[in-house]
Amino acid sequence: MADSVEHTRVEPAAEEETLFSNLDIFLFSLIVGLLIYWFVFRKKKEEIPEFKKLETPVPTTRETSFIEKMKKTGRNVVVFYGSQTGTGEEFANRLSKDAQRYGMRGMAADPEEYDMSELSRLPEIENSLSVFCMATYGEGDPTDNAQDFYDWLQEGDACLDGVKYTVFALGNKTYEHYNAMGKYVDKRLEELGAKRIFDLGMGDDDGNLEEDFISWREQFWPAVCEHFGVEATGEESSIRQYELVVHADMNMNKVYTGELARLKSFETQKPPFDAKNPFLASVTVNLKLNKGGDRHLMHLELDITGSKIRYESGDHVAVYPVNETAMVNQIGQILGVDLDTIFSLNNLDEESNKKHPFPCPTTYRTALTHYLDISNPPRTNVLYELAQYASDPKDQENMRKMASSSAEGKALYHSWVLDARRNILAILQDMPSLRPPIDHLCELMPRLQARYYSIASSSKVHANSIHICAVVVEYQTSTGRVNKGVATNWLKNKLPCDNGHKSTVPMYVRKSQFRLPFKVSTPVIMIGPGTGIAPFMGFIQERAWLKGKGKEVGETVLYYGCRHRNEDFLYQEELEEFERTGMITQLNVAFSRDQEHKVYVQHLLKKNKEHLWKLIHTESAHIYVCGDARNMARDVQNAFYEVAEEMGGMNRTQAVDYIKKLMTKGRYSQDVWS
């Protein structure tokens, strides 16, 4: 150090320079040191309490453990539902309310909202029971909200020893995979060690789903009582689930006007668009397709520009309709209410995830227009609950009888409600003594559901547009009333420009398994009479687009059916042009009423059995069927059995097995409705 000092004294100029540099370095080091101290040590001091805070669980806004919820609220019955159209959910709510009459406490639960692996913990709750109301969707698929539960069941590593359960399945016999989801859940729970305490219930919507449910439920509860050693309390009185709150002075910005979930979602649209957040698509085209006849067959085009909605040929567009204004006004008039009253229905069970039956606060007018199904015949539980408001004892007796499981009651409900297609308005008109409070009526009526249509376009050709092909539903009932299909009549009046305003439709896209073959060269056989032509317009457009790109496209064969060539041959010009250009390699049209005996698509299939067999058996063609499930789809399937018998030299059992194998391999697909 001394050497250094001495040395620097010899050269004063250098000394000044060196001292300056050292000072700089010292100051710089000091600043850096202070900064390091500040960020490292000081931050650590602040982080310690933060870290401690994280050790205690942070309460989440939504309880995902149904077990903890049941313990906290003293429930011992949980009713899960897999529901696409709301019926499964409705049945689950009815069963959970029933529990109270048997000294038990129930809760309805959406499996999508809970961790279903917790099912194994159910025995922690004394005298506990799990009930599953499971609907089947499409080709034996689970409903959207039960998909995760289905996947979990398939994983197969859960131990459900000690879990007690029962299943009620909702389906439709006209479909190939009748009640597949309910059957699977019933079988799988038993395989995993759970104990079935009552037989699987089978609900058939092609017959009378309500009747099937009531018959099952009437036997189910006595079996539960016997199993758990409990007795019915005898209380058959109405149990309200919601309480009415009328808002006298409410800011209109806080009132729902038809939105499905987020307030003002129709004013400020934000993607992604789905069932709870539909996109308001403008109607750009609305044409009547048929040239004659007493029906109205229409073609609509919805503009999805800027929505980021993507779709594939074969997908479905879901549309949220609104009820007819005249019907809504008549209900208000009969019940003597101001439809513009702002109200809320608040769940009396504060622990319930479902705070309101539909978005609240809203007006009675909005509820009856946008949220409630007022056009379908009401179910028996609605009649039972409303009976207390009939001042005529005879009306009261009849309404309760219709809700019972007696043969006489079932027959009365069938003839007076179902066969006569009486909706709630018709019932109020024909029972002048029945004048329920409107809030209880709103609580009981089921939710108005989205309607699904097969998309009649290809996104390769129409990226910003979705096409719909539908028939307007309108018919006269035995009481002389004219009933109208809610969605189709509403869509019929959606003109592209209505008094200078754009007509809009709340919609979203639902993915489908109805898909063109992966290999473009694979032949396709499409069978779609009437509006069943819809998805095939998309298929043909797509294959024409691929051909235009130079791809080698396989044979594209269409079987289409209508009543008269000159009346309802839908998309005639387009189809004939596709045939002329070779895009449709074979256009087979059955005009059922243009000759003495009726000719349907299945007759044309049998007529072309050699060509069909070659495509199916030798060239691995894919078969697609779209339209009516009750008759057409079944007749078409039988026609294919006959083709396999005659051309493949099989007996009926082998032929059935052959066609079923095509279904399993995804080579025979159906998009059908009843």
Side-chain angles (χ1 to χ4, degrees), residues 97-111:
K97 273 172 82 175
D98 279 348
Q100 204 166 320
R101 296 188 177 125
Y102 299 91
M104 303 174 92
R105 288 198 72 200
M107 66 177 250
D110 183 344

Side-chain angles (χ1 to χ4, degrees), residues 341-623:
T341 302
I342 300 165
F343 77 106
S344 289
L345 284 177
N346 298 335
N347 203 322
L348 290 162
D349 174 7
E350 289 175 10
E351 298 295 331
S352 174
N353 283 7
K354 195 172 185 180
K355 301 300 176 197
H356 317 283
F358 42 76
C360 290
T362 189
T363 64
Y364 290 124
R365 187 183 305 284
T366 300
L368 292 169
T369 304
H370 293 272
Y371 299 137
L372 300 170
D373 182 352
I374 58 173
S375 61
N376 275 315
R379 296 195 187 279
T380 56
N381 67 304
V382 176
L383 300 181
Y384 181 84
E385 298 262 357
L386 291 180
Q388 61 185 306
Y389 303 113
S391 56
D392 182 339
K394 188 74 188 150
D395 286 346
Q396 227 180 79
E397 187 194 334
N398 280 334
M399 288 177 80
R400 292 221 164 99
K401 193 186 283 176
M402 285 190 274
S404 75
S405 58
S406 72
E408 191 191 349
K410 284 177 180 178
L412 183 60
Y413 176 70
H414 222 281
S415 61
W416 200 77
V417 179
L418 295 183
D419 292 347
R421 298 297 298 168
R422 275 186 174 89
N423 53 37
I424 192 64
L425 174 59
I427 288 170
L428 292 171
Q429 287 170 336
D430 293 347
M431 268 193 186
S433 95
L434 178 66
R435 293 297 177 261
I438 192 162
D439 62 289
H440 201 178
L441 186 76
C442 287
E443 175 179 326
L444 292 169
M445 297 308 291
R447 284 290 297 269
L448 182 60
Q449 299 293 331
R451 304 304 202 259
Y452 297 92
Y453 298 96
S454 302
I455 297 176
S457 53
S458 163
S459 58
K460 299 279 193 292
V461 183
H462 302 281
N464 292 314
S465 172
I466 283 177
H467 299 183
I468 294 174
C469 172
V471 59
V472 176
V473 177
E474 194 170 310
Y475 59 93
Q476 190 165 23
T477 71
S478 57
T479 65
R481 293 178 172 93
V482 174
N483 278 10
K484 295 178 178 182
V486 180
T488 52
N489 279 277
W490 177 69
L491 286 171
K492 177 188 171 185
N493 296 315
K494 286 278 173 187
L495 303 174
C497 193
D498 196 3
N499 292 332
H501 298 287
K502 278 184 178 176
S503 286
T504 56
V505 170
M507 51 72 67
Y508 69 97
V509 166
R510 189 181 194 280
K511 294 289 168 198
S512 160
Q513 301 301 314
F514 204 67
R515 288 277 181 266
L516 277 168
F518 181 71
K519 279 174 73 179
V520 186
S521 57
T522 303
V524 296
I525 301 159
M526 304 171 289
I527 301 115
T531 55
I533 186 74
F536 304 134
M537 293 307 293
F539 280 13
I540 298 161
Q541 286 172 14
E542 186 142 328
R543 279 168 83 92
W545 181 85
L546 289 162
K547 198 173 183 180
K549 295 279 177 197
K551 303 274 186 193
E552 190 189 319
V553 178
E555 275 203 58
T556 304
V557 178
L558 176 66
Y559 285 83
Y560 171 67
C562 62
R563 294 176 183 181
H564 303 281
R565 177 188 281 275
N566 298 325
E567 273 185 17
D568 53 0
F569 187 170
L570 307 184
Y571 302 110
Q572 182 179 354
E573 291 78 15
E574 292 98 312
L575 293 173
E576 286 176 347
E577 179 60 20
F578 278 129
E579 187 188 32
R580 194 188 61 75
T581 57
M583 192 48 254
I584 295 179
T585 46
Q586 205 183 85
L587 176 61
N588 307 282
V589 189
F591 303 106
S592 61
R593 301 181 190 184
D594 271 354
Q595 59 287 310
E596 206 177 317
H597 12 263
K598 290 182 178 172
V599 176
Y600 296 116
V601 282
Q602 62 267 26
H603 300 132
L604 300 188
L605 288 169
K606 291 176 201 172
K607 204 170 152 187
N608 296 334
K609 57 192 174 194
E610 289 88 355
H611 181 235
L612 280 174
W613 185 247
K614 177 176 162 284
L615 289 177
I616 298 163
H617 196 65
T618 314
E619 298 179 29
S620 303
H622 282 223
I623 301 163

Side-chain angles (χ1 to χ4, degrees), residues 172-189:
N172 188 309
K173 257 191 185 135
T174 57
Y175 290 79
E176 182 71 28
H177 304 278
Y178 174 53
N179 274 332
M181 184 61 183
K183 289 174 186 170
Y184 175 74
V185 171
D186 182 59
K187 175 173 145 283
R188 192 73 187 117
L189 290 172

Side-chain angles (χ1 to χ4, degrees), residues 154-390:
Q154 284 194 309
E155 284 164 18
D157 56 357
C159 174
L160 301 183
D161 290 350
V163 173
K164 289 161 185 173
Y165 79 95
T166 190
V167 179
F168 183 80
L170 297 87
N172 188 309
K173 257 191 185 135
T174 57
Y175 290 79
E176 182 71 28
H177 304 278
Y178 174 53
N179 274 332
M181 184 61 183
K183 289 174 186 170
Y184 175 74
V185 171
D186 182 59
K187 175 173 145 283
R188 192 73 187 117
L189 290 172
E190 186 179 46
E191 286 171 359
L192 295 172
K195 184 185 178 186
R196 183 190 299 105
I197 69 152
F198 190 65
D199 297 340
L200 166 69
M202 299 280 269
D204 176 20
D205 202 26
D206 186 46
N208 187 339
L209 187 58
E210 175 73 10
E211 199 174 291
D212 295 336
F213 175 67
I214 288 171
S215 301
W216 177 83
R217 177 172 161 245
E218 292 274 326
Q219 297 167 64
F220 163 67
W221 282 114
V224 170
C225 289
E226 194 182 332
H227 184 87
F228 291 110
V230 294
E231 281 182 32
T233 58
E235 287 175 31
E236 286 296 313
S237 59
S238 168
I239 302 165
R240 288 293 298 260
Q241 199 179 341
Y242 299 93
E243 67 173 346
L244 170 68
V245 177
V246 175
H247 307 285
D249 191 20
M250 169 71 74
N251 180 342
M252 289 309 288
N253 284 326
K254 292 180 178 173
V255 178
Y256 282 87
T257 57
E259 307 94 322
L260 275 297
R262 181 173 59 85
L263 192 65
K264 305 290 176 196
S265 63
F266 288 162
E267 287 176 29
T268 52
Q269 293 253 279
K270 294 174 189 169
F273 296 104
D274 55 27
K276 288 182 179 167
N277 181 36
F279 176 67
L280 284 182
S282 300
V283 177
T284 54
V285 174
N286 187 343
L287 301 170
K288 184 179 178 184
L289 286 171
N290 51 320
K291 302 179 187 84
D294 52 5
R295 297 182 303 161
H296 184 105
L297 295 130
M298 58 185 171
H299 170 88
L300 275 98
E301 296 184 12
L302 306 178
D303 186 3
I304 54 167
T305 306
S307 66
K308 296 187 179 168
I309 289 173
R310 300 282 171 267
Y311 74 94
E312 289 181 64
S313 303
D315 283 343
H316 298 124
V317 58
V319 164
Y320 284 101
V322 300
N323 289 312
E324 205 179 24
T325 308
M327 267 189 87
V328 172
N329 289 339
Q330 281 174 283
I331 291 172
Q333 219 173 342
I334 287 173
L335 297 181
V337 293
D338 175 5
L339 290 175
D340 296 312
T341 302
I342 300 165
F343 77 106
S344 289
L345 284 177
N346 298 335
N347 203 322
L348 290 162
D349 174 7
E350 289 175 10
E351 298 295 331
S352 174
N353 283 7
K354 195 172 185 180
K355 301 300 176 197
H356 317 283
F358 42 76
C360 290
T362 189
T363 64
Y364 290 124
R365 187 183 305 284
T366 300
L368 292 169
T369 304
H370 293 272
Y371 299 137
L372 300 170
D373 182 352
I374 58 173
S375 61
N376 275 315
R379 296 195 187 279
T380 56
N381 67 304
V382 176
L383 300 181
Y384 181 84
E385 298 262 357
L386 291 180
Q388 61 185 306
Y389 303 113

